[in-house]
Every structure is written in structure tokens, then in C-alpha cells.
Amino acid sequence: MKKVELLAPAGDLERLKMAIVYGADAVYIGGQIFGLRASAKNFSLEDMKTGIEFAHERGKKVYVTLNIIPHNDDLNELPHYLTKLEEIGADAVILSDPGTLMYVKEYIPNMEVHLSTQANNTNYMSANFWHKQGIQRVVLARELSLKEIKEIREKTDEDLEFEAFIHGAMCISYSGRCLLSNYMSNRDANKGDCAQSCRWNYYLVEEKRPGEYYKVEEDEKGTYFFNSKDLCMIEHIDKVIESGIYSLKIEGRMKSAYYVANIVSVYREAIDTYYRDKENFKFNPKWLDEIKKASHREFSSGFYFEKPGHTEQHYGSSSYVRDYDFIGVVLDYDSETKLATVEQRNRIFKGEEIEIMGPKVGNSNQTIEVMLNDKNEEIEVAPHAKQIIKIKVDKPVEKYYILRRPRKDD
């Protein structure tokens, strides 16, 4: 068994770098066209080239999404875009549409091709079909159990890889094939512009009483009955690896750099712990505690063990749990003065207790006793967005280390 790949999302260049530094083996990104995250910043070709070089210098890979369901007009730019992706060194493209695949085979025939979860691959015959079309990796639908995945692995060619989501938001529809957003807000989920209408609060109308709205309530907050819990498989990482999945995928190209760093670092440690001693592997509760320090909804194991029932929906709220604030990222460190140069991401106050996290799980806590502005003047607060400051730290830090603090109740 070759070691599994940890695959992380990256919505922009900063998040790509964080994912790589914090332990991802590969990242998946979207360009400014053909990717299913229209609201993300996404990558210009120039940033994509920079990110690919950053990854390759560290022995990591970058996959580019081409997974919209295209209409005729969408295809006009595709040939030029494909040749550019090959020129800048993309390691693979991720697609779901047969027409897009035909273009890839015509214009960049040597490119590795992954089949997106948008293609809804749920059985071994479908996987074998796509493999015969030149697909090297199938991203499995979220609606599969570990038992089904094992059977798919057993009944497909050994050189066909499988990828599956292990963490992040779940969709109420079949692997993203949702029309609710189109209907409610005229935003096409299959072209990357989902309004997340499933997260809204709804009322009930009886057909013979039009205009009379009845609240559907679990409590005074209402009921978000389409609102799925987040997927989290950190407690079962050994079972996921042993199912035959090669690439373990984290959802979240819209998530923050802090989220990416936090989630990747935890799964990195869990995977490495498994391979160090498979026979005696045990889940470490501190991994889940650490994951909960990033924004999240309540967690679920999705479809991996059984089909989700009524307990897999989050009825009380569509908002995230956010117990920690991301307040800064380290740019540099002076070992003589013990001063870390920090780019501020949220207001930082002298005298407050903070945590400093790096690529490995295990953090240091300290009080900010010395904080300087860019003129080396002592300050009490850093209130400006992305303000460059210096903070005296108790332990050595490196570039890309993250500062965070427990969120205070307002």
C-alpha cells in the first residue's frame, strides 16, 4: 500500500502556500474560469504559475479545476486556457464533462486527468468506463460508504486512483448537482455560483391557504431542515485509508488561510501517526479538539458508515461555530531580539493571551508583553487591517506560523 495523499483546497496564493507548509501533499485550485467557486478570489494565470513553482520546489503537486457543467459559450476560451495550464506546469486537471475531456485530450493529451465528484461516480462499472476514456483518478461521490468504496477498489484496475472527501461542508444534493440555488436566487450552482440556499430558514405553506406562512420550528430560532452537518473523518482516518482511497480530500476553497492551515496540520499528523505504527494506531482526542478551533458546523461521518438520518442535519442554525479568532501570521523572526514580525489579521491588544500554532499540532501560549509598530514604537493595540507589527515571543517561530486567540463573548 502506497502512502495516501493529503489533498487541500486553496482559494488564493496565500492559502496555497499555507496548505503546502502545513503538510498537504497536493492542493486543488481554480482559475478565473471553469472552476466551481465563482465567489472565491481564484487564481490568475500569473498567481497560478507562482503557486505551482512554490509547490514543485517542495515536491508537492497542484491540480486545477475545470469542473463546471459548460454551455456552448463556455467552450470558446477552453483551448487557449488548456495550453496555458500545461505551459505553467499544472500536474492535473479536474473535470466532469465529457466534452471538456475531449478538448483536454485534443489540446493537452499528456495532462493527467481527474474526474470530479460532479460526475457522481458511485459504482465500479462507471469507474471502469471513465478509466477507459483516459481518466487516471476518480473523485468518488460523497454518497458512498466505506464498504462500497472497498468493493469499487477491488473491481477496478490497480492503476486507477480514487479520491474522496474526508472533511468539510456537505451538500444536500447529489455531490453538488443542486438546482435549489438556481430556483431561489437565479445563481447556477453547476457553474460555481451557489447561493447555499440549503442553509436558509424556511416556512411551510399549505396548498389551499396561499399566503399563510407557518413557521417550521424546533425552537425559537426556527428550523434549517436542509442544513447538513459538516463531514469530519479524523476519528476514523485508519478506516478511510484502509478502504482503498488514495487521495484524502479536504473541502473548502472558500475557507480562510487559518482554516486551511489548521485542518491540514491535524490530518497530516493523524496520517503520519497511522503509518508509523498501523497495528497499534489509535485516535488521539487532541486532533478533534484542534480541528474545532477552526470555524465549523457540528460534525458527522456523512455516508461512510450508514446513510445519514435525521441526526445528520443541523436544525438550529446555519451559522458556524467560531471559538477562535485568526489574528496574525508571522512574516519573519529575529532570534537575537526574539521579535516576530507579524501581519495583523484581526485587532491585537497588548496584554492579551494568545496561542501560536505552527505546522505540527502542539501550540504555545503566551501573553503579549511587547508590541511594536513599523517604526519600532511601543503600541497598545494593532487595529488596522494587515498592519505590520512586531511582537516579542517566548519561543522561536518561523514564517507562516499563525497567531490566534480564544474568541471573547460580546
Side-chain angles (χ1 to χ4, degrees):
M1 183 193 299
K2 61 181 178 180
K3 192 171 184 179
V4 296
E5 173 186 85
L6 179 58
L7 178 59
D12 60 19
L13 187 55
E14 180 191 35
R15 283 172 272 187
L16 180 150
K17 291 180 178 179
M18 282 291 188
I20 296 297
V21 169
Y22 278 76
D25 298 304
V27 297
Y28 62 101
I29 66 175
Q32 294 175 338
I33 53 177
F34 296 103
L36 268 177
R37 286 296 179 270
S39 299
K41 286 183 181 179
N42 291 321
F43 283 73
S44 65
L45 285 170
E46 182 179 348
D47 278 353
M48 203 179 285
K49 183 175 185 294
T50 301
I52 289 170
E53 289 172 351
F54 183 91
H56 287 179
E57 286 167 1
R58 291 158 179 79
K60 312 299 182 181
K61 294 182 178 182
V62 178
Y63 310 140
V64 181
T65 59
L66 300 172
N67 56 345
I68 67 167
I69 307 299
H71 290 245
N72 292 334
D73 290 344
D74 298 314
L75 298 175
N76 294 334
E77 296 179 71
L78 187 55
H80 173 72
Y81 185 55
L82 292 176
T83 57
K84 285 294 183 183
L85 293 182
E86 186 173 53
E87 285 175 15
I88 62 178
D91 293 287
V93 293
I94 308 168
L95 54 79
S96 58
D97 172 65
T100 304
L101 175 59
M102 289 178 69
Y103 265 129
V104 169
K105 293 169 79 170
E106 180 178 353
Y107 289 96
I108 49 172
N110 296 320
M111 179 66 70
E112 183 172 316
V113 185
H114 299 174
L115 185 72
S116 170
T117 190
Q118 288 293 110
N120 306 128
N121 199 115
T122 58
N123 64 77
Y124 58 83
M125 286 298 289
S126 180
N128 283 325
F129 166 82
W130 284 110
H131 190 38
K132 288 179 180 178
Q133 310 313 308
I135 297 292
Q136 287 93 350
R137 178 184 298 185
V138 169
V139 187
L140 294 168
R142 288 175 171 90
E143 296 76 25
L144 289 170
S145 67
L146 291 175
K147 181 181 178 181
E148 289 175 301
I149 291 169
K150 285 181 180 179
E151 184 177 6
I152 290 172
R153 175 67 285 173
E154 290 167 0
K155 295 183 177 180
T156 50
D157 292 341
E158 287 185 7
D159 58 344
L160 176 61
E161 296 176 352
F162 291 103
E163 175 181 306
F165 285 96
I166 58 164
H167 193 93
M170 294 286 282
C171 185
I172 63 155
S173 185
Y174 236 70
S175 290
R177 290 294 196 94
C178 184
L179 297 177
L180 188 62
S181 174
N182 302 51
Y183 182 80
M184 300 296 290
S185 61
N186 200 32
R187 288 171 53 178
D188 191 345
N190 293 317
K191 295 186 75 174
D193 201 23
C194 182
Q196 294 208 1
S197 306
C198 56
R199 307 293 180 188
W200 300 352
N201 198 7
Y202 288 89
Y203 290 81
L204 178 69
V205 178
E206 198 273 329
E207 65 175 345
K208 294 182 180 179
R209 295 174 175 83
E212 294 184 27
Y213 297 92
Y214 299 89
K215 285 188 176 181
V216 184
E217 291 184 321
E218 288 286 316
D219 55 30
E220 67 278 2
K221 296 178 183 177
T223 297
Y224 299 80
F225 51 82
F226 294 133
N227 185 32
S228 301
K229 292 182 179 180
D230 282 357
L231 175 66
C232 177
M233 290 298 287
I234 192 65
E235 297 180 68
H236 312 287
I237 202 68
D238 53 336
K239 297 180 180 66
V240 172
I241 294 171
E242 290 163 6
S243 72
I245 298 169
Y246 168 65
S247 183
L248 312 189
K249 188 172 191 174
I250 297 167
E251 182 273 341
R253 277 195 285 144
M254 300 287 288
K255 299 296 179 74
S256 70
Y258 166 58
Y259 177 94
V260 171
N262 175 279
I263 304 302
V264 167
S265 66
V266 177
Y267 278 97
R268 176 78 277 152
E269 178 166 311
I271 291 168
D272 291 348
T273 300
Y274 170 82
Y275 281 103
R276 278 196 296 270
D277 189 357
K278 299 175 188 177
E279 299 300 322
N280 298 303
F281 175 83
K282 290 182 180 179
F283 164 70
N284 188 333
K286 78 173 183 178
W287 297 334
L288 185 57
D289 292 340
E290 183 66 20
I291 277 177
K292 288 181 177 179
K293 292 182 180 180
S295 64
H296 63 279
R297 300 180 184 93
E298 291 182 27
F299 289 132
S300 159
S301 57
F303 289 77
Y304 278 117
F305 297 107
E306 58 187 3
K307 290 184 179 180
H310 69 281
T311 60
E312 305 309 300
Q313 301 297 107
H314 188 29
Y315 300 104
S317 170
S318 62
S319 61
Y320 288 96
V321 178
R322 290 186 174 92
D323 293 330
Y324 277 74
D325 287 322
F326 171 30
I327 60 174
V329 58
V330 174
L331 303 179
D332 197 10
Y333 172 68
D334 187 326
S335 58
E336 292 185 9
T337 63
K338 295 186 178 179
L339 288 172
T341 302
V342 173
E343 183 179 85
Q344 180 259 40
R345 295 303 176 87
N346 214 315
R347 285 190 301 171
I348 304 175
F349 296 89
K350 181 179 176 181
E352 70 179 348
E353 295 283 336
I354 64 168
E355 286 186 15
I356 301 176
M357 62 171 281
K360 295 191 176 180
V361 176
N363 311 299
S364 61
N365 302 316
Q366 72 163 74
T367 302
I368 298 178
E369 296 178 347
V370 176
M371 186 162 63
L372 310 174
N373 63 17
D374 57 357
K375 297 177 182 177
N376 287 324
E377 300 167 335
E378 286 212 37
I379 55 176
E380 298 294 317
V381 60
H384 306 300
K386 295 198 172 183
Q387 182 177 352
I388 304 301
I389 59 175
K390 292 182 180 178
I391 294 175
K392 193 164 189 178
V393 293
D394 297 338
K395 296 181 180 179
V397 293
E398 297 177 11
K399 187 177 181 181
Y400 302 114
Y401 273 46
I402 284 173
L403 279 60
R404 66 186 179 192
R405 63 162 174 251
R407 176 167 282 200
K408 302 180 180 69
D409 294 330
D410 295 329

